[in-house]
Amino acid sequence: MAESLSTESWLPNLVGFGIPFLLVFTLALEDGGYDLVLRSQVGLIVWWALLLGLAVGLIPFQRVSRAGWIAMGVFGGLIAITAIATFTWTESAERSVVELSRITMIFGAFVLMLLIQGKEAVRRSLAAVAVAVAVIAVIALVDRFDPGLLPFGSGQILPANYPRARLNFPVEYWNALAALMAIGLGPLLWLATSARDRVVQSVAAGVIPLTVLATFMTASRGGTAAAFLAVLVLVLLFPERLRLALVSFAPAVGSALLIVMVNSRPEIRDLIAGEAAASQGIEMIWICLAVVAVVSGLQYSIAWLVDAGRIPLPRVGRDLTRKVGLGLGATVLALLLAGGVSGQFSERWSEFQEPSVDGTVSRLATVNSSERYLLWDSALEAAASEKFTGVGPGTFEYWWAREGDGEQFVRDAHNLYLEMLAEAGPLAFLLILALVFGPIGYGVLLSVRAVSADRRATLATATAGMAAFVIAAGVDWAWEMTVLPVAFFALAATLLGPEDRPRRTGRPSEEDLPAGLPRAKPWVRVASAGGALIAICVIALPLAATQNLESSQEL
């Protein structure tokens, strides 16, 4: 009996934390999940887990809220449109099958993370995303500062004309790495503020400067904007803003210090090979360790002083919060109007339409679009050419090669929403908007209505992390870097669990149901298992074709 109780206590923690952590960490470590083979292998594991879990009754359907079913329905509609296009109007069935495989894999990850939600699952999922992002930040910085420390490092072997200065390992794309850091920033701040153990709070606060430094070294303007948006949303929705501000002070100072330190070492910052870079890299490792230690120590002291009542934190009423918010909103509006009247926006827009060639951190002070304006314009033209169907999933590359005005080779429109409009038509465009913005709006609604401060804090954190993805998906090919949508849906799943479902009078909660009680009718499980089997086939077909092609090329 004791052994059974022990298993019941650690198994939900292992599953609730382990699955989102492994998905995010594994995909990030393997080129962000961009490669079809790795992405498909992860997708097959996910769908086999769903197939077996649904078939034998290990996964309970009752843990899906009404909002969760709606989200799955929207996702299913997007898959259906992609499948219909693949077998009817697409310009390239091969590319469309690959896109269908991608969406099916992401959908499977979302369903799995949604179905494992239960009591305390929100905290576990947020912690999983935070830890995964922190570990990736450490790996990225260590690989830059001293590649020899990592047996699986990049080796700094880069192609010709590659922007060496921009940190990209292990995701292998700087903007995607920065976006991942931005998604994890909110969960890390939440851990530093609300973790139930002071040691966890201290460690989370200590590694925040590392994620900020990694973001800075990517020289990603989109990632920087995503991080700012995540922090802004967190501040607006978080219930204990004074505590959040107090906890954020030391990590902010530590982040600024690390940026100053790496800026004063241009050889390692810009990856200029030589003895100077090697020496500066070792110096930066010791500086990072010192900053982590100091920030962690300060956070532990602050947490102890606050909990002991030595630092009083008065509660801020909603009326005061509303007045401050209105004041800040009016200030921002005034600044925007001033910028429009002075012509600053017009000048910035003209600058945005120009290509960017600078690959160092100095590009953070510019707004050049690197042909994104041309890509977005071309996507709109593609959508206009096929107003109802789009040109076909995964085929924007062909349209750009024929009709595009830019000089770069690209496969994606660098904007998920416009790309979906161009490739799959207006219905798919509306579905992807609902799929991305729906959970964010739902998170805002839940966090405002939440009575418990702890519950509101977790909801605000998940919403802030998802908001960062909105920026990444709007300016880059974030959807194709599978780790980013998987991280997004890991956070979305936390909002759609059983804690948000109204309980009827007299109806037992999920935790009250006896162990082994059937969770759904047999025919529902059979149908669900059949759907999982179809998904496995959808993912396996392009995987097998790709592996056969690679094998033939090696002969």
Side-chain angles (χ1 to χ4, degrees), residues 100-161:
L100 178 61
S101 170
R102 184 198 321 279
I103 297 177
T104 304
M105 180 269 159
I106 297 172
F107 178 58
F110 172 54
V111 172
L112 179 61
M113 290 186 288
L114 183 62
L115 294 181
I116 64 172
Q117 296 298 310
K119 187 177 181 181
E120 294 292 308
V122 176
R123 300 184 68 91
R124 291 192 290 264
S125 296
L126 290 178
V129 173
V131 173
V133 169
V135 174
I136 292 299
V138 171
I139 290 174
L141 293 174
V142 170
D143 181 74
R144 169 59 68 89
F145 296 150
D146 190 357
L149 289 178
L150 297 176
F152 54 86
S154 66
Q156 309 299 357
I157 301 174
L158 303 172
N161 300 322

Side-chain angles (χ1 to χ4, degrees), residues 8-243:
E8 290 178 4
S9 64
W10 64 258
L11 187 57
N13 290 324
L14 178 63
V15 172
F17 177 89
I19 288 179
F21 172 81
L22 287 175
L23 283 172
V24 174
F25 178 72
T26 301
L27 290 169
L29 197 62
E30 296 293 337
D31 303 340
Y34 179 80
D35 180 68
L36 182 144
V37 174
L38 183 279
R39 180 181 72 241
S40 300
Q41 290 171 342
V42 173
L44 289 176
I45 293 173
V46 166
W47 278 106
W48 272 113
L50 284 169
L51 174 61
L52 297 176
L54 293 171
V56 302
L58 293 177
I59 300 179
F61 278 94
Q62 275 82 356
R63 287 182 176 174
V64 181
S65 65
R66 181 180 300 176
W69 285 111
I70 293 174
M72 285 197 290
V74 172
F75 221 138
L78 189 62
I79 292 176
I81 291 176
T82 305
I84 294 172
T86 299
F87 297 106
T88 53
W89 67 74
T90 184
E91 182 176 349
S92 172
E94 178 184 0
R95 289 295 174 84
S96 296
V97 166
V98 171
E99 191 61 31
L100 178 61
S101 170
R102 184 198 321 279
I103 297 177
T104 304
M105 180 269 159
I106 297 172
F107 178 58
F110 172 54
V111 172
L112 179 61
M113 290 186 288
L114 183 62
L115 294 181
I116 64 172
Q117 296 298 310
K119 187 177 181 181
E120 294 292 308
V122 176
R123 300 184 68 91
R124 291 192 290 264
S125 296
L126 290 178
V129 173
V131 173
V133 169
V135 174
I136 292 299
V138 171
I139 290 174
L141 293 174
V142 170
D143 181 74
R144 169 59 68 89
F145 296 150
D146 190 357
L149 289 178
L150 297 176
F152 54 86
S154 66
Q156 309 299 357
I157 301 174
L158 303 172
N161 300 322
Y162 196 83
R164 299 172 60 86
R166 307 188 66 179
L167 189 68
N168 64 86
F169 182 81
V171 179
E172 301 296 352
Y173 182 44
W174 45 85
N175 288 331
L177 178 60
L180 183 62
M181 296 297 106
I183 291 173
L185 183 57
L188 280 170
L189 283 168
W190 167 78
L191 270 183
T193 306
S194 305
R196 291 168 179 166
D197 190 289
R198 289 198 197 111
V199 174
V200 176
Q201 293 180 16
S202 304
V203 174
V207 299
I208 287 174
L210 301 183
T211 64
V212 175
L213 178 62
T215 303
F216 173 77
M217 294 186 68
T218 63
S220 172
R221 295 162 300 182
T224 303
F228 274 111
L229 180 61
V231 172
L232 176 62
V233 172
L234 187 64
V235 170
L236 291 176
L237 298 179
F238 206 78
E240 298 179 330
R241 297 181 183 88
L242 291 179
R243 186 181 183 113

Side-chain angles (χ1 to χ4, degrees), residues 244-267:
L244 179 65
L246 183 63
V247 168
S248 301
F249 178 75
V253 173
S255 300
L257 179 61
L258 288 182
I259 290 174
V260 170
M261 291 294 102
V262 81
N263 248 341
S264 65
R265 293 164 172 79
E267 283 78 12

